[in-house]
Amino acid sequence: MNTIHRPDPEFVGNLERELRSTIRRQGRFDNGPSASAMAIRKLRWTTGLVALTAMCIGSAATFAVTQRLRGQTADLIIARSEAHLEFANARLELFLEELQETESRAAAGLIAPEQLDDMRLEFSHVKERAAARALDVEETRITGRDPDNSLSAPTLRGRDFVTERLELERAVRLERVSWVDKHASTPGLDLDQASAVARERQAVRAAVSIVEERLALRQDYLSGARTARQVELADMQFSVGSQREIAKRRVTELQQELDRVNALVEDGMATRSEARPVEMAFRAAVLQYDLAELEMQILESKLADPSGQ
Amino acid sequence: MKDNESGRFPDELIVVYRETVDELYEFVSRRSGGSRELAEDVTQETYLRATTAWPRNGLPDCPLAWLQTVARNLLLNHYRRRQPELFDSTDIDTVLGSAASDGTEAAALVCWGLARLNARHARLLEAFYIDDRPVRSIADDFGVTERAIEGRLRRARLALKKLLLPHVGTKGEMT
């Protein structure tokens, strides 16, 4: 193509933004009423309009300004979302270069294969973030609003962004499970290391279960098996349940630690003030557990309420 | 027209935009007499019309052809409204040759003339002078022999010459 007939990239970019804004504005007025309903409405409007014209002038001006401001806000939200994506992609690019370098160093035997595994895991996280950001951009371009990640969020133009994001999250968490499993089978771990790996295994499997539970709830909502309220409450119940489990484990661990420190104090090998921090941490963990328990009871009573209030 | 699956429509439009913008811009630019401003205005207006028409009627089977038709009509309207500049040359063939080789003033004058010719002549001359296409390719499109195209080109050129003659001259002297 002759260069004088080539469009200026700035013009191409600006026009694409303008087209997106136009499509978005039009999208807000999609799915209009039927022709007969329109005719009746038109008649009513014509009659009412005469009386309301004077009153409406002020309101119309306000409405127009509000609409314009909303449009501007939407453009800004989209721009922010695109900036996040650009950042995530730049990070991904850097990581990819770093990963390739690490791979070649590992191949040359300059670093341990475990280091390469760590790098690959980290890379999968960064990749997931970039993919999630791309989904955010797509959703934001449709709605002009921040992404809605609640389980009862509507599907948008045939796309289910909530499920797509959860699938990405599940994939990356499953990779972490594989990584932990691989480390758990490393020979020569001492007792403390083995126990730390076991705890991590439990945590990462729990994390996968959370995502899978959320996916199932999302499907329940989309299939109409559960209402939006039921799904959101069940999601909160699951989240509070997980927090309660974590708090319970923490209480057990700190109880053991506290018993050990108290035994040292009784033997005169530690002072009471040295035991104080452990005591405080234990009390905080117990309170956290109690709080999670209360939250759970509130949610269960809400779920049991047939009025759905 | 393809089915309008409203769910995917905005993305499709942007995909089409990205796929076609370079080609459409070139198409418009070649007919804009070197005016980047005119080329950008017409390109922009064409896509804006697509955002109104396509959600209602569905995506055309050949979006680029649709866009080029709209752009061409917009350009014709533009040239019908304005008066051409006097082109500094001694003969009409120089104008046509110059238009074909991206001479901006000449291209503007030829476009002005094409907007006033009958559609068949205009399309033929556009293909030859503006899009720079060989006779064989034009003959294939029209489904006739190269010889027939040459004959039609000759007649179309004569018609255009008649239209442009008053606007070609040197320093005030008409030829």
Side-chain angles (χ1 to χ4, degrees):
Chain A
M1 194 195 297
N2 187 320
T3 48
I4 69 157
H5 299 309
R6 200 171 288 159
D8 179 357
E10 197 182 335
F11 163 74
V12 173
N14 288 340
L15 181 53
E16 181 172 330
R17 269 191 292 281
E18 192 178 343
L19 289 176
R20 284 187 189 285
S21 299
T22 309
I23 297 164
R24 208 171 39 253
R25 278 197 300 275
Q26 287 168 348
R28 290 189 192 128
F29 299 102
D30 273 355
N31 307 319
S34 67
S36 56
M38 284 275 283
I40 294 166
R41 203 168 289 176
K42 197 174 169 187
L43 186 67
R44 284 182 187 158
W45 272 104
T46 312
T47 316
L49 205 61
V50 177
L52 289 172
T53 303
M55 282 167 65
C56 283
I57 289 168
S59 310
T62 313
F63 177 74
V65 171
T66 313
Q67 286 294 98
R68 205 183 65 224
L69 287 174
R70 274 185 194 160
Q72 284 170 355
T73 308
D75 287 343
L76 288 172
I77 289 172
I78 292 165
R80 182 179 61 187
S81 180
E82 287 169 345
H84 278 309
L85 174 62
E86 210 176 317
F87 182 73
N89 282 335
R91 199 158 168 247
L92 181 66
E93 209 175 305
L94 281 174
F95 247 93
L96 184 62
E97 282 169 19
E98 214 173 318
L99 176 65
Q100 283 163 348
E101 198 188 315
T102 311
E103 277 172 341
S104 49
R105 291 179 72 198
L110 294 171
I111 54 163
E114 290 78 23
Q115 267 181 281
L116 179 59
D117 282 347
D118 292 353
M119 183 59 124
R120 281 184 178 147
L121 182 71
E122 190 70 19
F123 179 71
S124 71
H125 277 274
V126 176
K127 203 168 142 189
E128 184 261 342
R129 279 318 303 150
R133 289 295 189 194
L135 286 175
D136 289 351
V137 169
E138 285 186 76
E139 181 176 347
T140 307
R141 280 176 184 163
I142 294 174
T143 61
R145 292 190 298 270
D146 283 322
D148 183 355
N149 214 17
S150 61
L151 292 182
S152 57
T155 56
L156 297 165
R157 302 186 194 280
R159 294 283 298 277
D160 178 6
F161 289 101
V162 177
T163 300
E164 287 183 50
R165 272 191 286 264
L166 284 171
E167 295 283 9
L168 282 176
E169 200 180 334
R170 179 167 63 172
V172 80
R173 288 189 180 199
L174 282 171
E175 275 194 50
R176 187 155 183 87
V177 169
S178 315
W179 181 84
V180 173
D181 283 349
K182 200 173 168 185
H183 277 242
S185 58
T186 310
L189 289 179
D190 64 30
L191 205 61
D192 279 351
Q193 284 172 327
S195 131
V197 169
R199 273 202 305 275
E200 186 158 12
R201 257 178 121 172
Q202 204 176 12
V204 293
R205 283 179 196 283
V208 173
S209 308
I210 291 175
V211 179
E212 284 176 345
E213 178 69 19
R214 297 195 80 217
L215 272 165
L217 285 171
R218 175 69 177 164
Q219 289 314 306
D220 279 357
Y221 171 68
L222 292 177
S223 67
R226 295 199 208 201
T227 64
R229 184 180 161 74
Q230 284 170 336
V231 161
E232 292 303 338
L233 281 174
D235 187 28
M236 283 165 72
Q237 192 185 24
F238 200 75
S239 157
V240 171
S242 308
Q243 283 168 21
R244 188 176 60 175
E245 280 307 304
I246 292 167
K248 195 176 170 181
R249 278 203 297 275
R250 182 93 180 121
V251 168
T252 312
E253 283 167 17
L254 284 168
Q255 177 71 72
Q256 287 168 357
E257 178 69 8
L258 190 61
D259 289 347
R260 197 178 61 83
V261 173
N262 280 338
L264 289 174
V265 171
E266 275 174 25
D267 292 346
M269 295 176 76
T271 62
R272 183 55 58 196
S273 61
E274 280 173 319
R276 192 77 180 141
V278 183
E279 210 175 10
M280 291 305 288
F282 174 70
R283 279 178 62 189
V286 171
L287 285 170
Q288 220 158 13
Y289 175 76
D290 290 346
L291 193 65
E293 183 61 37
L294 281 170
E295 289 279 3
M296 181 58 85
Q297 286 173 16
I298 291 167
L299 284 169
E300 279 170 354
S301 74
K302 279 185 179 174
L303 278 166
D305 184 356
S307 67
Q309 295 303 304
Chain B
M1 294 277 176
K2 289 174 191 166
D3 287 343
N4 178 13
E5 291 176 54
S6 61
R8 296 206 318 266
F9 186 77
D11 289 338
E12 277 183 6
L13 198 144
I14 295 300
V15 169
V16 169
Y17 168 74
R18 287 179 180 168
E19 283 172 355
T20 55
V21 66
D22 285 348
E23 219 169 326
L24 181 72
Y25 185 87
E26 183 183 2
F27 176 90
V28 175
S29 176
R30 282 185 181 279
R31 289 158 174 79
S32 299
S35 164
R36 192 167 270 276
E37 197 184 350
L38 176 64
E40 290 185 353
D41 281 352
V42 171
T43 306
Q44 179 173 1
E45 182 59 27
T46 305
Y47 282 108
L48 288 174
R49 289 191 182 200
T51 63
T52 313
W54 292 356
R56 202 172 49 229
N57 307 324
L59 201 63
D61 291 328
C62 182
L64 182 62
W66 189 98
L67 292 164
Q68 286 178 339
T69 305
V70 172
R72 190 173 178 277
N73 289 336
L74 287 169
L75 283 164
L76 289 179
N77 289 340
H78 167 81
Y79 285 117
R80 279 180 190 134
R81 280 197 300 268
R82 68 192 283 274
Q83 278 299 309
E85 304 268 326
L86 185 69
F87 187 75
D88 194 7
S89 171
T90 48
D91 79 299
I92 197 77
D93 287 317
T94 311
V95 179
L96 292 176
S98 189
S101 58
D102 289 335
T104 55
E105 278 175 67
L109 183 60
V110 169
C111 290
W112 176 89
L114 292 176
R116 283 159 179 79
L117 272 186
N118 76 49
R120 270 179 55 200
H121 282 165
R123 282 196 183 277
L124 197 60
L125 290 171
E126 259 186 77
F128 189 75
Y129 285 107
I130 310 280
D131 296 329
D132 217 6
R133 291 176 53 196
V135 171
R136 175 177 292 180
S137 152
I138 302 171
D140 287 346
D141 268 10
F142 280 69
V144 293
T145 62
E146 285 179 50
R147 206 180 161 80
I149 288 296
E150 277 162 4
R152 286 182 197 182
L153 267 173
R154 205 168 38 248
R155 287 191 290 280
R157 206 160 26 223
L158 275 173
L160 183 65
K161 275 184 179 182
K162 271 187 198 166
L163 267 170
L164 297 187
L165 209 53
H167 304 283
V168 176
T170 48
K171 313 286 180 199
E173 177 199 350
M174 303 274 187
T175 56

